[in-house]
Amino acid sequence: MSDGTTLIQQDPYLEPHRAILRARHAHLQQLIRQLAPDGNLLGPITLGHEFFGLTRGTHGNKQGTWYREWAPGADYLALIGDFNQWDRGANPATRGPFGDWSLFLPDDSFADRLTHGSRVKVHVANNRGYAMDRIPAYIRRVVQEQDHSFAGIHIDPMQANAYAWQHHDPDPTQVAGGLRIYEAHVGMSSEEGRVATFNEFRENVLPRIVALGYNAVQLMAVQEHPYYGSFGYHVSNLFAVSSRFGTPDDLKALVDAAHGFGLRVIMDIVHSHMVKNTAEGLRGFDGTDHQYFHAGPRGEHSAWDSMCYDYSKYEVLRLLLSNVRFWLEEYRFDGFRFDGVTSMLYRDHGLGTSFSNYDQYFGPNADGDAIAYLTLANTVAHAVKPSAITIAEDVSGMPGLARLGEEGGIGFDYRLAMGVPDNWIKLLKEKRDEDWHLGDLYATLLNRRWNEKHIGYAESHDQAMVGDKTLAMWLMDQELYTGMSALHEKSPVIDRGLALHKMIRLITFSLAGEGYLNFMGNEFGHPEWIDFPRPGNNFSYHYARRQWSLVDAEHLRYKGLNAFDAAMQQLDAEHDLLEDKLIEQLAVHEDTRQLVYRRGPLVFAFNFHPTESYPGLRVPVPDQTDYRLLLSTEAERFDGPGHVDPATTYVWKPEPMYGRSQSVQIYLPARSALVLGPA
C-alpha cells in the first residue's frame, strides 16, 4: 500500500522531502476516515446540497419543504420571503447540536405561498448586535432586483419541469486526438455591447467551436457573481448559475447541445476564494469572521480583495466537495478548471515567491489543509464521473500536482503550462523576432514537469485583458484596424504579424503540452482587448464583446488565421499529435534561423528568418520513408503567399544529417513553417 512517496521514484530530487510527502498522505487518509468512516466519499460529505438549503421532504406524516443552514455563531435564524411578506418572526428555525438550523414548511399550510419561483432570504442574528438578511449558502438560483440587490429564488422540484436531456455525455474513447479546449465567456460572446445569454451562445458560438475542430469548451463565470467586471472570479453563490446569462435550464440546454456535437464541457470553478460582499456572499454569515473563512488577516486575500476559505473545517469541506459533485451531476459538466490553485497551495498565496527550489514547495508556507482539499476534490470528481477532466491553474510548479493522490500527488489530470504565454509576451516585448534564440525557445516550450500532463497555450483570456495585449495586438497593434483588408495594398506589418501569429501558435500547439487551449476570438486575431463595464470606462460594454463579423468578412484577412486554427486542430484529430510523447529536436541553426523537430512521426520545420527563403534545404527525418506536406503556415488558404506546392512528395535519400541516416530536401520560405508526415 502506498505511503504517498511513490513520486520520489519519478523525481529523485524529492527524496529530501520524503517525510513531508508521507505526512501529507497520512493526513489525507486520516481526513478521509473522519469525513467518510465507511470510506465512501459519495456519502453525506458530498451531498450537502441535498440536505442544506431548501429541499423536499417529510416531517411526521406531512409532505413539505425543509430549510436547513449551518450557522454556529448565530442565535436566531428565520426564513423570510414573499411567501410570508418578509416577516422575520413568522418562520423561525430551530438550532441543532452542531450549529445547524432547520425548519419545516408543510405543503398544506404553505401550498399557495412558498412556491416555485418564490423570492427568499434568511434573517440571521446573534446576541452580539448582529442582524442581517442573507442569501442561503446552498441556494440554487439568485437574481438581481431592480434596486440592484440580490435575492434567492426557490426552485421546487415538485413544481418545476425537469429538464429533458437529449444527448449522452461524450465518450472520451471516441474523441479524436488530445484535449483541445476552446475557452469562452458566455456574457461577452455577442457582437453587440451587452451581456449575451446561454441560448445565444448555444445557437451562435457552439457551431463555430465545432467548425474549428475543438473537442472541449471551457465556460467561465458560470457561478453567480454580483459584479460582472470580476470576470466571474468573485463568486457569491456556489450552487447558483449566473442569472445574467439565463436560467438553469438554459445552461443545461447549452451543455446538452455541446454534448450533441461531441464536445466535452469544462467549467471554470472557483473554490480558491469568495467575494467579500456580505449581502450576497458568505462573509460573516453567522455573525463571526471565522465561519467559512479563516479568522483575522489570514481570511482576506490582499491581492484579490476577497475571502479565503478555511479548508480545515468539516462544513467547509462539505460545502465545496458537494459543489464539485453538484455541477457534475445536476448540469452534467465533464470536468473543471480549478481557478487560483497557486493561491490555495501556499499560505502567502504564492505572492512574491520565486519557487526556485523544492524547499519552497514543502516548507511551512505550504497549506496542508488546502492541499488535502484539492486532493479530495479530484478524488470526488473522478468518483462521481470517472471520465471527468480536472485542470489546475498553478504558476508555482508544485511537484505532483497532476499525479494521483496515492502516489503522493494532488490528483489533477492536467496543469496549465502558464509559463509559456508569459514567455511569449516577454519575447514580443523585449526582442525582435530576428533575435529570438531558437534553442532557448525550444527548451522553454518543453520545460514542464516530466510525467504530468500540461495544457499548452500561447495566450488565454489573461493575455487578452485590458492592460495587456493579445499576440495579435503585440504583433500588429494599430494596423489591425487599418491594414487587414485584402482589397488594399498589403501591409508589411500585417504580413509579418500574420506569419508569426501562425508560427507562434503552431510551435506552441506542437510542443507545449498534452492538451491545448485557446480563448474565444484569439484564434482569428481579435483586435481588441477585454474590458468589462466598470467605473474607469464609464460602464461601457464596448470591449466586452467579440466581433465575429471580422472573421466572417471575405475581404478581411482575419479569416486566414481562423482557417489556420481549424487546420491545426485537424492535425491533432488525424494524427493524435498532442498525446504523443515522442518529441525530439532534429536540427537547429541560430544563424540561418531554422528549427526542425519531430513529434511522433511528424516533422516540423520552422524558418524564423525574416527575409531568407531556402529553396533546396535538406533536413533530417526520423524514418526511411517519403514525406508529404500536411500543413504550411504560408498556404494561400491561410492568407499566405502560397509558395510551397501542397502536392509535393519529399523523397527520402540515404544522406546522413545530424545523427540521422536519411533526409529530405524541402523549400522553406521566410517566416514560415511546414509540417510533414510519412507518405
Side-chain angles (χ1 to χ4, degrees):
M1 185 174 178
S2 172
D3 65 353
T5 62
T6 308
L7 281 178
I8 299 173
Q9 299 174 14
Q10 303 172 17
D11 185 354
Y13 288 102
L14 290 169
E15 180 61 47
H17 308 286
R18 179 182 290 272
I20 293 177
L21 285 170
R22 188 181 289 118
R24 279 187 186 179
H25 185 73
H27 172 59
L28 178 67
Q29 298 308 310
Q30 181 184 14
L31 186 58
I32 291 173
R33 288 191 292 271
Q34 292 173 352
L35 300 177
D38 61 355
N40 179 22
L41 286 172
L42 298 186
I45 191 61
T46 57
L47 291 172
H49 53 289
E50 294 187 2
F51 180 77
F52 288 110
L54 291 157
T55 59
R56 292 292 301 175
T58 60
H59 184 56
N61 59 356
K62 291 187 175 183
Q63 297 283 331
T65 299
W66 280 99
Y67 171 64
R68 299 183 181 95
E69 194 77 61
W70 177 64
D75 295 299
Y76 180 81
L77 254 74
L79 189 67
I80 58 175
D82 51 20
F83 73 97
N84 65 6
Q85 290 75 53
W86 304 94
D87 184 347
R88 296 174 180 136
N91 298 103
T94 301
R95 183 186 175 101
F98 302 106
D100 52 309
W101 297 75
S102 63
L103 70 94
F104 183 73
L105 304 177
D107 289 342
D108 57 7
S109 298
F110 290 88
D112 60 344
R113 287 187 280 172
L114 181 64
T115 60
H116 177 67
S118 291
R119 279 164 162 72
V120 294
K121 287 189 178 182
V122 56
H123 182 68
V124 187
N126 65 22
N127 296 331
R128 299 175 299 281
Y130 167 74
M132 191 172 180
D133 298 339
R134 306 299 297 261
I135 295 176
Y138 283 81
I139 198 74
R140 300 194 184 189
R141 182 155 173 77
V142 175
V143 298
Q144 190 167 17
E145 307 282 26
Q146 289 186 347
D147 64 359
H148 302 297
S149 66
F150 287 79
I153 300 294
H154 174 44
I155 296 179
D156 188 339
M158 298 297 291
Q159 299 179 47
N161 294 322
Y163 179 80
W165 293 90
Q166 302 297 311
H167 303 286
H168 294 294
D169 299 350
D171 181 353
T173 64
Q174 301 301 311
V175 176
L179 184 61
R180 305 186 301 276
I181 302 171
Y182 195 87
E183 183 185 44
H185 185 287
V186 167
M188 57 168 289
S189 64
S190 170
E191 177 120 4
E192 301 170 19
R194 58 177 176 80
V195 180
T197 67
F198 290 127
N199 289 335
E200 290 171 325
F201 188 91
R202 171 174 53 83
E203 295 169 2
N204 302 326
V205 183
L206 274 186
R208 293 180 182 273
I209 300 171
V210 174
L212 285 167
Y214 289 86
N215 55 29
V217 56
Q218 179 179 300
L219 296 180
M220 306 180 66
V222 171
Q223 295 169 293
E224 188 62 78
H225 47 288
Y227 179 45
Y228 187 50
S230 75
F231 216 97
Y233 288 129
H234 280 189
V235 166
S236 54
N237 312 102
L238 290 165
F239 295 86
V241 174
S242 177
S243 59
R244 288 183 180 86
F245 310 144
T247 67
D249 278 0
D250 292 341
L251 176 57
K252 290 177 181 178
L254 192 167
V255 174
D256 200 11
H259 286 170
F261 283 124
L263 291 171
R264 288 177 283 183
V265 189
I266 299 167
M267 174 180 161
D268 200 78
I269 197 166
V270 185
H271 285 179
S272 48
H273 63 133
M274 177 177 268
V275 70
K276 270 188 174 180
N277 303 31
T278 53
E280 296 87 23
L282 295 177
R283 180 188 185 188
F285 185 91
D286 68 350
T288 71
D289 69 344
H290 57 267
Q291 182 186 1
Y292 286 104
F293 311 107
H294 288 289
R298 191 180 173 193
E300 298 190 20
H301 197 300
S302 59
W304 293 350
D305 193 35
S306 54
M307 305 304 296
C308 300
Y309 291 105
D310 182 349
Y311 302 102
S312 69
K313 290 187 174 181
Y314 179 92
E315 289 298 351
V316 173
L317 293 174
R318 174 148 63 168
L319 176 80
L320 298 177
L321 292 174
S322 297
N323 196 237
V324 168
R325 183 172 185 174
F326 171 78
W327 291 106
L328 292 173
E329 292 184 336
E330 181 69 18
Y331 289 91
R332 297 194 181 181
F333 278 99
D334 300 291
F336 303 104
R337 180 259 204 187
F338 279 76
D339 170 67
V341 168
T342 305
S343 176
M344 300 171 71
L345 293 174
Y346 309 100
R347 290 174 180 267
D348 68 354
H349 310 301
L351 300 173
T353 304
S354 63
F355 298 107
S356 56
N357 63 75
Y358 276 30
D359 291 342
Q360 292 172 312
Y361 300 122
F362 298 98
N365 188 36
D367 190 331
D369 293 322
I371 291 169
Y373 165 67
L374 287 169
T375 311
L376 286 171
N378 279 292
T379 303
V380 167
H382 293 107
V384 172
K385 196 170 202 173
S387 62
I389 302 160
T390 59
I391 304 167
E393 187 212 25
D394 169 50
V395 73
S396 76
M398 168 68 81
L401 191 65
R403 296 301 302 177
L404 296 174
E406 53 262 34
E407 298 177 350
I410 298 178
F412 286 97
D413 296 301
Y414 295 88
R415 57 194 309 161
L416 291 177
M418 298 184 71
V420 172
D422 290 345
N423 187 65
W424 282 123
I425 298 303
K426 180 178 173 64
L427 282 176
L428 291 170
K429 274 184 178 181
E430 299 178 0
K431 291 185 177 182
R432 304 180 307 160
D433 59 288
E434 294 95 320
D435 298 327
W436 295 349
H437 191 283
L438 302 184
D440 288 349
L441 175 58
Y442 177 81
T444 298
L445 290 169
L446 291 178
N447 184 21
R448 54 185 180 270
R449 291 202 60 80
W450 179 79
N451 220 19
E452 295 190 39
K453 288 185 177 181
H454 289 68
I455 302 295
Y457 59 107
E459 55 183 343
S460 69
H461 71 276
D462 287 327
Q463 287 72 42
M465 295 293 285
V466 64
D468 206 334
K469 293 182 180 180
T470 62
L471 291 179
M473 292 180 72
W474 279 113
L475 290 165
M476 295 171 275
D477 206 22
Q478 292 300 315
E479 294 244 5
L480 280 169
Y481 300 97
T482 60
M484 288 296 280
S485 174
L487 303 178
H488 303 145
E489 183 178 352
K490 287 190 174 181
S491 159
V493 172
I494 296 297
D495 286 344
R496 170 187 177 272
L498 296 182
L500 287 175
H501 195 275
K502 289 177 281 188
M503 294 174 73
I504 287 171
R505 295 172 84 80
L506 179 62
I507 197 171
T508 303
F509 183 85
S510 58
L511 288 180
E514 293 71 34
Y516 180 75
L517 178 141
N518 163 69
F519 178 70
M520 177 175 69
N522 287 355
E523 70 277 4
F524 66 84
H526 195 281
E528 293 177 348
W529 54 41
I530 304 164
D531 190 12
F532 281 85
R534 56 186 175 86
N537 64 16
N538 200 26
F539 295 99
S540 171
Y541 287 83
H542 180 75
Y543 293 109
R545 62 191 180 114
R546 295 287 89 175
Q547 298 184 63
W548 303 109
S549 58
L550 296 176
V551 72
D552 293 339
E554 283 298 319
H555 71 287
L556 295 181
R557 303 181 71 181
Y558 294 101
K559 70 180 188 301
L561 295 181
N562 196 71
F564 178 76
D565 197 77
M568 201 166 62
Q569 310 309 314
Q570 189 64 25
L571 192 68
D572 175 62
E574 292 182 357
H575 300 278
D576 206 13
L577 176 72
L578 291 174
E579 294 191 334
D580 201 313
K581 295 182 179 180
L582 180 55
I583 301 175
E584 184 181 10
Q585 188 181 109
L586 299 175
V588 61
H589 298 289
E590 300 291 349
D591 53 347
T592 54
R593 315 297 297 138
Q594 298 143 30
L595 174 64
V596 185
Y597 58 87
R598 70 178 298 184
R599 183 155 193 181
L602 306 189
V603 174
F604 294 78
F606 284 78
N607 178 13
F608 281 93
H609 202 289
T611 57
E612 290 294 326
S613 299
Y614 300 99
L617 182 68
R618 183 160 291 279
V619 297
V621 291
D623 300 308
Q624 293 183 353
T625 183
D626 294 344
Y627 284 78
R628 63 188 177 92
L629 182 64
L630 300 179
L631 186 66
S632 168
T633 61
E634 62 92 69
E636 289 183 348
R637 66 190 179 109
F638 308 139
D639 207 316
H643 291 141
V644 179
D645 183 356
T648 302
T649 297
Y650 302 95
V651 179
W652 77 276
K653 290 187 177 181
E655 295 187 22
M657 288 191 74
Y658 310 117
R660 294 289 173 177
S661 302
Q662 59 281 329
S663 56
V664 298
Q665 187 170 295
I666 64 174
Y667 173 39
L668 191 56
R671 280 201 181 114
S672 75
L674 307 181
V675 183
L676 311 180

